[in-house]
């Protein structure tokens, strides 16, 4: 035998479950019938047996019916005050489930239903913002992919042509052109054929050296590159071709035309748990407040692309920062998370 309180609990849960299967309006009607009509019948029968006459019982019944109108009106008003906001809430939730995220319940009352409505409106607003952010992120990603596709060429045809030109340069004993073509071939091979989005810092520095070797043909004797990237960070991963646009800005906008050799410094180090990479030059520099700064500073297309790519892969806490002064040079700093394996990329992006 179950204890009394446990049997009472089971009976109560069973009764509540049965009531939940009945619509609210029918619950109110049943409640009204049991709370008014049943006592009314009991009073009528009791008065009939008490007085033994139908007339007093009839008058008492008539008075009870009149009095019954008062709770009926109150019950109706209470039902409408509950059912109307619930019906509006259900209709709004149905519209939201159909994909219309612009609708809101907007209950201005001060009861529990209004509190529930405000929470639903807040969740829908947050979902709408998340969907807009996701759509914006997907749009930026498609734009970047489209830009990459626009610059793709048939790699085999390109490499065969470059090898032919390199052999011609070697036959003519033109060592500078041969080395430049070899560097260009390796750089294009690493960027076109290697489809991995993330490479090691060592591979990025290797691509950078090939780029400087190519630019040395055009700007012979105009710059000198110094590398200070310790082995302890060389095996960490980063998005491909982050440093090349920064190096290009240093060469194109920082070099002098009077024969002065500009020093360029490529360095990297740990900053807490993150990695800080720097491309610094002692070139002409620029004034960030000037109109010409947009083509050289963070607003430039190449630098802006680097910053957007970092934000696309990681959070807003990482990115590119540019400092420059006229006649003092420019320093570009990239802050990245320390990624040692492809599994770390998914973990960082998930957070």
């Amino acid at each position: 035998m179950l204890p009394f309180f446990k049997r009472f609990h089971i009976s109560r849960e069973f009764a509540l479950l049965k009531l939940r299967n009945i619509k609210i309006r029918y619950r109110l009607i049943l409640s009204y019938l049991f709370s008014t009509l049943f006592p009314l019948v009991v009073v009528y029968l009791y008065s009939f047996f008490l007085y033994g006459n139908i007339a007093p019982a009839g008058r008492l019944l008539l008075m009870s019916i009149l009095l019954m109108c008062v709770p009926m009106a109150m019950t109706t008003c209470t039902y409408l005050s509950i059912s109307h906001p619930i019906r509006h809430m259900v209709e709004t939730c149905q519209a939201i489930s159909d994909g219309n995220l612009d609708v809101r319940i907007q209950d201005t009352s001060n009861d529990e239903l209004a509190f529930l409505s405000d929470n639903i409106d807040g969740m829908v607003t947050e979902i709408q913002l998340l969907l807009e952010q996701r759509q914006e992120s997907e749009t930026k990603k498609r734009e970047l992919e489209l830009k990459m596709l626009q610059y793709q060429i048939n790699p085999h045809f390109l490499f065969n042509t470059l090898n032919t030109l390199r052999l011609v340069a070697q036959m003519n004993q033109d060592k500078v052109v041969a080395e430049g073509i070899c560097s260009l071939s390796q750089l294009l091979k690493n960027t076109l054929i290697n489809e991995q989005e993330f490479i090691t810092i060592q591979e990025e520095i290797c691509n950078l050296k090939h780029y400087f070797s190519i630019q040395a043909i055009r700007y012979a004797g105009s710059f000198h590159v110094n590398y200070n990237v310790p082995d302890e960070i060389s095996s960490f991963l980063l998005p491909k071709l982050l440093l090349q646009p920064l190096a290009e800005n240093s060469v194109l906008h920082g070099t002098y035309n009077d024969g002065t050799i500009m020093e360029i410094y490529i360095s990297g180090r740990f900053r807490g748990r993150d990695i800080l990479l720097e491309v610094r030059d002692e070139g002409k520099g620029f004034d960030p407040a000037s109109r010409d700064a947009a083509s050289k500073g963070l607003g430039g297309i190449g630098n802006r692309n680097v910053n957007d790519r970092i934000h696309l892969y990681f959070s807003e806490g990482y990115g590119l920062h540019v400092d420059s002064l006229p006649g003092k040079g420019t320093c570009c700093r990239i802050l990245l998370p320390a990624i040692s394996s492809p599994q770390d990329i998914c973990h960082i992006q998930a957070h």
Side-chain angles (χ1 to χ4, degrees), residues 155-164 185 188-189 192-193:
H156 297 289
F157 170 77
L158 182 60
F159 294 142
N160 291 335
T161 304
L162 290 175
N163 287 328
T164 301
S185 178
L188 293 177
K189 181 180 179 181
L192 293 180
I193 292 183

Side-chain angles (χ1 to χ4, degrees), residues 162-163 165-166 169 176-186 217:
L162 290 175
N163 287 328
L165 295 175
R166 182 171 62 86
V176 176
V177 176
E179 291 179 353
I181 293 177
C182 181
S183 296
L184 177 60
S185 178
Q186 289 296 324
I217 299 176

